[in-house]
Amino acid sequence: MEQPDLILVNAFILTMDSTLSQFSNGAIAIQGQKILAVGPEADIRSRYTASNVIDCHGKVLMPGLVNAHTHVPMTLLRGLADDLRLDVWLMGYMMPVEREFVSPQFVNLGTRLACAELIRSGVTAFADMYYFEDDVATATAEVGMRGVCGESVMKFPTPDAKFFEESLEYSREFIKKWKNHSLIVPSVAPHAPYTCTPEILRASADLAMEFDIPLQIHISETQLEVENMRRDQGMPVVPWVKKQGLLEAKVLAAHCVWIDDGEMRTLLHAHAGVAHNPSSNLKLASGAAPVKRMLDSGLQVGIGTDGPASNNDLDMFEEVRLAAFLAKTTSNDPTALPAQQALQMSTSMGAKALHIGDITGSLEPGKRADLILIDLSRLHSSPRFQRDPNAAYAQIVYSAKSSDVTDVMVDGKWLMQDKVLLTINEDEILREAQDYARRIDTFLIQREESVLSKLIAVGGLTEEESFEVQAKTAIPDPEQVIAALESSGIEIIRRRHYHEYDTYFIFDDENQGFLRYREDHFIDDRGQVTTVRSRLTLIGKAVEFRFPQDVLLSRSRYLAPATQSLRFYREYFKPVKEVEIEKDRRRFLVNFKGEEFFINIDKMISPSIGNFFEIKSRTWSRQDADLKSKLSIELIKTLYQGPVEMVSKDYFEVSK
Ligand SMILES: [Zn+2]
């Protein structure tokens, strides 16, 4: 008689194999990392004997759950910023905090915290994408869990790379190091089409194919992402990534909330797996993925929690239940996504979506011993019916809780027995995590005190001229001044015509200055808008001098390209008041007596407060400013013979 290392007996076994075999009085024989046999207890006992036989007391024994998409170290950012739109949440909070705090130690601790939570909710394998992924993999392997671990690559600087080339190089070394590890499957993770360049996508796909490893990416998470792609590239997201060669790799596509039937077929033909993330999609109001249609099309769809900062937990029991409920309610069909199919998605099908279906996801001889025991004798699961074989699945999906998981084994090793974690010190993790929370709190409290530091946090900031000379007067007729300029003999270096839309954000604390979001719509000779440019300017309250000639010398200004929408900045900066100004501006760059000046001739449209003639010049020294202030008055008087009544305040001040 064969003698395996271990036999588990007296279990209600759900194998989750292709025929969904169940054994109500079942047993499983385990040798080393692998399952040797699974079947009725009498049958197993007649073939095998072991010194280590464990009685499962009638609990459900099934494959461990597969979390198809997460960012495990983000447990340390859980609850940091909630109830925000995806862009404000991501660009305004997550990324700035990540740039400041994410380090190998952060990642190691966050991963251990996540693993403890995942094990407690019956998860044995997960797909992760983050930074310092080598530290994610190391912590995961030390804990003893199975992970498909992908180093994130994107076009922006990340906590572990200034340039994407570094991330790709890191990925290559990471993949070489972990390839053929018994628990870790290395992977490459270009973050998303909108955070990557075609070059990054191509290089990532090449890397994945070179080493035959999975590639993870976020696809069509929001409607906005798809609209932008259609507008910029004339096609939805999946055909576009296909064009970049991405689908030649073994892809795991997270979200796919906004894909159509054609895109599903494209993913299917590429043998791509999909990770459905119901909690995250619900919480961020991203929409409901067409899960039933994806499943009907034949796609392998797994279920994931997404990162714990957008969920906010890693409870797969909750996720599986939500997946079933969401599919039913969005298809108006209570028969859609029945419990056993939802449980398949989170076990065997999930493993296939992760491209590790050959080693885990079901209880079958030859597969790794990744399994869990669930106690279904608790109040909320009682009583139990035997008539319908689907009852067991329904009980797990609709009434069991993650806290009913009592034992977890991965790769033949117990990670939890009788609810005691065997490879993780929970108290230590909780203490260290709280320490991080304190430091991050301090950082954010400081940042939120200043508009400038908030602006710096969203990136791309430059401090502009130290001095700006500005002379401004109200005029009755703009055309008259333009005609005077054209015939004056003054050299015109450049001329522009645009429509300007300004939104001023005003804050409670006047010392913060005010923030201007400006959209310039450039207008050509035929009066058509050719290009639109958006800029953010923080205009400091400080340093304001008045020359005797009533020329205003102002202020330090901070400029940033406005890469986000006005709505983003409104939600991020939370001004107490907004002022909107619209004007038609003719702008000339001229050379007047050897100095360069900008001449702005503005027709105010809203508020309708007349026309203005303005001279502006930048300078870096006080002496130069003095000269320029004299010249600017002279320039005004040269071009405009009417009464000059200086307006030293901004339009904004005028309209207030
Ligand atoms: Zn994600």
Side-chain angles (χ1 to χ4, degrees):
M1 205 179 307
E2 274 193 79
Q3 293 198 328
D5 294 332
L6 171 69
I7 302 177
L8 303 179
V9 299
N10 190 20
F12 188 98
I13 297 181
L14 303 174
T15 63
M16 305 310 290
D17 65 9
S18 55
T19 56
L20 289 172
S21 1
Q22 302 181 359
F23 306 102
S24 59
N25 193 352
I28 184 165
I30 293 159
Q31 177 66 44
Q33 304 164 295
K34 291 182 180 172
I35 297 166
L36 199 58
V38 55
E41 183 175 332
D43 179 39
I44 297 293
R45 280 190 186 272
S46 71
R47 288 157 57 202
Y48 302 98
T49 173
S51 54
N52 193 1
V53 176
I54 294 178
D55 186 335
C56 297
H57 302 291
K59 290 176 188 171
V60 164
L61 194 170
M62 62 173 276
L65 303 178
V66 176
N67 186 341
H69 177 68
T70 185
H71 313 277
V72 284
M74 292 182 88
T75 41
L76 292 181
L77 304 176
R78 175 182 5 232
L80 173 71
D82 291 280
D83 306 322
L84 298 169
R85 245 176 271 274
L86 181 65
D87 53 4
V88 176
W89 177 81
L90 188 67
M91 313 278 182
Y93 289 88
M94 290 302 137
M95 286 183 166
V97 170
E98 285 177 333
R99 275 196 292 272
E100 188 71 21
F101 285 95
V102 173
S103 65
Q105 296 87 324
F106 177 101
V107 161
N108 175 287
L109 177 62
T111 302
R112 284 185 293 134
L113 176 56
C115 285
E117 189 184 355
L118 287 166
I119 294 167
R120 286 210 172 280
S121 74
V123 173
T124 52
F126 60 86
D128 184 76
M129 51 199 280
Y130 206 59
Y131 315 107
F132 298 107
E133 198 66 25
D134 183 51
D135 296 279
V136 174
T138 303
T140 303
E142 275 171 15
V143 167
M145 287 191 77
R146 194 176 301 291
V148 175
C149 298
E151 167 72 6
S152 290
V153 188
M154 64 172 87
K155 63 186 175 187
F156 308 117
T158 64
D160 62 356
K162 274 208 178 74
F163 306 103
F164 72 84
E165 289 90 345
E166 290 171 41
S167 305
L168 286 168
E169 200 38 51
Y170 180 105
S171 298
R172 172 176 292 276
E173 294 308 309
F174 170 71
I175 293 162
K176 278 197 222 157
K177 178 175 167 185
W178 291 96
K179 184 100 172 106
N180 302 320
H181 190 274
S182 64
L183 289 171
I184 304 299
V185 174
S187 155
V188 59
H191 177 265
Y194 63 94
T195 51
C196 290
T197 60
E199 189 188 358
I200 295 174
L201 298 181
R202 180 74 255 178
S204 301
D206 286 346
L207 199 56
M209 284 187 290
E210 181 183 338
F211 292 97
D212 190 31
I213 47 120
L215 179 151
Q216 303 180 56
I217 186 166
H218 295 99
I219 293 278
S220 299
E221 181 173 358
T222 64
Q223 201 168 14
L224 181 69
E225 177 188 344
V226 179
E227 280 168 11
N228 289 345
M229 184 63 83
R230 281 189 185 277
R231 183 195 64 209
D232 299 339
Q233 307 294 343
M235 61 182 89
V237 179
V238 172
W240 188 77
V241 297
K242 184 182 180 211
K243 209 174 133 194
Q244 314 313 320
L246 193 89
L247 299 186
E248 291 159 37
K250 297 195 292 193
V251 168
L252 169 58
H255 297 300
C256 297
V257 176
W258 296 96
I259 63 170
D260 61 30
D261 291 347
E263 293 179 279
M264 290 176 205
R265 275 193 299 277
T266 305
L267 289 175
L268 181 68
H269 290 146
H271 306 288
V274 172
H276 171 45
N277 304 278
S279 282
S280 171
N281 296 159
L282 285 165
K283 182 167 183 254
L284 296 171
S286 306
V291 170
K292 183 169 160 36
R293 272 161 47 220
M294 288 197 265
L295 290 168
D296 290 348
S297 80
L299 270 169
Q300 307 291 350
V301 185
I303 297 174
T305 56
D306 206 351
S310 60
N311 184 307
N312 292 356
D313 59 27
L314 297 171
D315 189 335
M316 276 293 290
F317 275 69
E318 185 178 271
E319 239 33 70
V320 176
R321 184 174 318 162
L322 274 179
F325 288 173
L326 199 55
K328 292 174 195 306
T329 198
T330 51
S331 59
N332 267 326
D333 176 6
T335 70
L337 199 45
Q340 43 109 318
Q341 198 178 18
L343 210 55
Q344 272 177 307
M345 288 170 72
S346 59
T347 54
S348 51
M349 194 188 284
K352 284 180 197 159
L354 268 59
H355 305 279
I356 54 171
D358 54 330
I359 59 169
T360 190
S362 59
L363 302 180
E364 293 176 79
K367 283 202 175 177
R368 306 294 179 83
D370 296 352
L371 54 88
I372 59 176
L373 289 177
I374 307 173
D375 181 2
L376 291 186
S377 66
R378 311 273 303 276
L379 275 176
H380 55 257
S381 297
S382 299
R384 285 170 73 177
F385 294 94
Q386 308 290 337
R387 175 192 56 87
D388 178 356
N390 282 320
Y393 303 114
Q395 207 162 17
I396 292 167
V397 174
Y398 301 136
S399 62
K401 301 183 187 310
S402 56
S403 52
D404 299 341
V405 176
T406 58
D407 300 75
V408 174
M409 174 183 277
V410 176
D411 223 37
K413 262 188 66 186
W414 290 112
L415 305 188
M416 181 166 80
Q417 273 188 302
D418 247 345
K419 295 207 173 187
V420 176
L421 294 178
L422 303 175
T423 57
I424 299 180
N425 180 339
E426 275 174 284
D427 291 340
E428 184 186 286
I429 290 171
L430 292 173
R431 211 174 36 246
E432 290 175 27
Q434 195 48 47
D435 203 50
Y436 262 105
R438 242 188 328 269
R439 285 162 53 199
I440 294 171
D441 261 344
T442 308
F443 166 77
L444 274 182
I445 288 166
Q446 266 171 14
R447 188 194 80 169
E448 301 283 299
E449 277 172 359
S450 146
V451 175
L452 177 59
S453 61
K454 286 192 83 169
L455 191 58
I456 290 170
V458 286
L461 193 70
T462 53
E463 184 171 9
E464 230 209 5
E465 71 272 16
S466 18
F467 298 108
E468 180 168 78
V469 174
Q470 178 184 319
K472 192 188 288 185
T473 185
I475 51 169
D477 181 12
E479 300 307 324
Q480 201 186 332
V481 177
I482 293 169
L485 174 62
E486 299 283 4
S487 61
S488 65
I490 295 170
E491 182 197 352
I492 299 172
I493 301 164
R494 195 171 66 223
R495 59 189 86 209
R496 286 266 164 78
H497 181 195
Y498 41 80
H499 214 80
E500 257 175 22
Y501 299 87
D502 291 341
T503 303
Y504 287 87
F505 288 169
I506 295 153
F507 303 98
D508 250 343
D509 175 5
E510 285 201 356
N511 295 319
Q512 299 283 352
F514 44 89
L515 191 65
R516 183 182 68 200
Y517 177 89
R518 166 168 287 180
E519 251 182 55
D520 288 326
H521 292 212
F522 290 93
I523 292 166
D524 65 12
D525 294 342
R526 289 167 302 153
Q528 302 294 313
V529 174
T530 53
T531 45
V532 175
R533 175 181 65 177
S534 314
R535 278 178 303 165
L536 267 186
T537 309
L538 175 63
I539 301 167
K541 187 82 184 158
V543 264
E544 195 170 300
F545 307 98
R546 189 74 52 79
F547 281 98
Q549 303 93 325
D550 224 359
V551 175
L552 184 72
L553 179 66
S554 71
R555 292 164 183 187
S556 58
R557 291 152 40 105
Y558 297 87
L559 296 179
T563 49
Q564 306 294 329
S565 64
L566 176 59
R567 193 265 309 147
F568 171 91
Y569 295 115
R570 177 178 295 132
E571 292 178 11
Y572 177 63
F573 285 105
K574 301 192 187 81
V576 291
K577 198 181 143 201
E578 290 180 35
V579 174
E580 288 187 7
I581 288 171
E582 185 187 340
K583 58 179 170 269
D584 182 84
R585 167 167 283 186
R586 309 284 191 96
R587 166 171 262 214
F588 302 86
L589 174 62
V590 303
N591 182 345
F592 184 62
K593 301 199 172 174
E595 300 286 339
E596 284 190 2
F597 291 91
F598 281 105
I599 298 179
N600 293 329
I601 295 162
D602 296 339
K603 273 187 223 172
M604 299 299 294
I605 297 164
S606 169
S608 176
I609 50 169
N611 309 309
F612 291 89
F613 176 21
E614 178 182 59
I615 309 292
K616 274 195 170 185
S617 190
R618 293 165 192 183
T619 164
W620 284 266
S621 81
R622 247 334 262 280
Q623 277 164 318
D624 204 23
D626 208 18
L627 167 72
K628 284 195 163 180
S629 73
K630 287 186 188 115
L631 284 175
S632 57
I633 292 290
E634 200 181 323
L635 186 52
I636 284 195
K637 289 185 171 159
T638 307
L639 299 177
Y640 177 62
Q641 268 72 45
V644 174
E645 205 175 309
M646 282 301 164
V647 183
S648 308
K649 296 277 180 191
D650 285 276
Y651 298 132
F652 156 67
E653 303 279 352
V654 173
S655 69
K656 207 162 59 165

